[in-house]
Amino acid sequence: MEGISLTGEDAAGEAYAMVDALASGADGLISAGNGTVRVIPAVGTNEDMDLFGLVLDYRESEARGFDQVIVVIGDNQYFFSSGTSPICQQTQLPDGTVCETLTLLLDGDSIRMVEDLKDHRDEAVQVVLVGSGGHHTL
């Protein structure tokens, strides 16, 4: 499909899709403190489940150890935290930049948030990244 990157191992029965325009270039790039964050919608599937989510790709010169994301839409707040599985993976890039990839899985409990996004689509949405190295508000 044009504009969509598909990855995965056919033998493993897994596939992942990302929107190319949001994964590279200036689209979807937001300044956050001394770093930048990119918001990317993502879909994944395997034999056991289908996954829908948002990926926040945060890059800065030092690790922040994010373990919670708070999404504020209108008067409502939605919390995503590590719990039993971490939502954040850290990678050191060749140029010394630290990339923290936060994956927010959307499930049946997230329907209200998605409806809020639709109802407030013309308003600012606040996202707070919280970690041991401080927090950033987008």
Side-chain angles (χ1 to χ4, degrees):
M1 288 190 263
E2 188 174 328
I4 305 286
S5 289
L6 295 173
T7 60
E9 298 181 27
D10 292 334
E14 297 179 357
Y16 303 93
M18 273 198 192
V19 179
D20 293 336
L22 297 177
S24 63
D27 292 338
L29 196 61
I30 303 166
S31 291
N34 294 327
T36 59
V37 69
R38 184 179 309 278
V39 180
I40 308 165
V43 176
T45 186
N46 64 28
E47 292 178 356
D48 299 321
M49 68 184 93
D50 295 326
L51 302 172
F52 304 92
L54 292 174
V55 176
L56 306 176
D57 187 27
Y58 180 85
R59 294 176 185 215
E60 190 180 351
S61 60
E62 60 185 272
R64 296 293 177 180
F66 295 122
D67 60 2
Q68 184 178 45
V69 177
I70 304 166
V71 179
V72 182
I73 306 168
D75 294 330
N76 297 316
Q77 296 182 358
Y78 301 92
F79 297 87
F80 297 86
S81 60
S82 290
T84 57
S85 60
I87 61 169
C88 184
Q89 295 179 336
Q90 290 182 5
T91 307
Q92 183 90 27
L93 302 177
D95 67 358
T97 302
V98 176
C99 178
E100 296 189 59
T101 303
L102 297 99
T103 304
L104 310 182
L105 293 179
L106 304 176
D107 58 15
D109 296 332
S110 306
I111 295 295
R112 185 176 158 118
M113 184 186 84
V114 173
E115 289 173 347
D116 260 355
L117 283 170
K118 183 183 96 179
D119 293 343
H120 296 270
R121 69 177 151 258
D122 295 327
E123 301 172 27
V125 173
Q126 186 177 44
V127 177
V128 182
L129 307 177
V130 181
S132 58
H135 71 278
H136 287 293
T137 302
L138 312 174

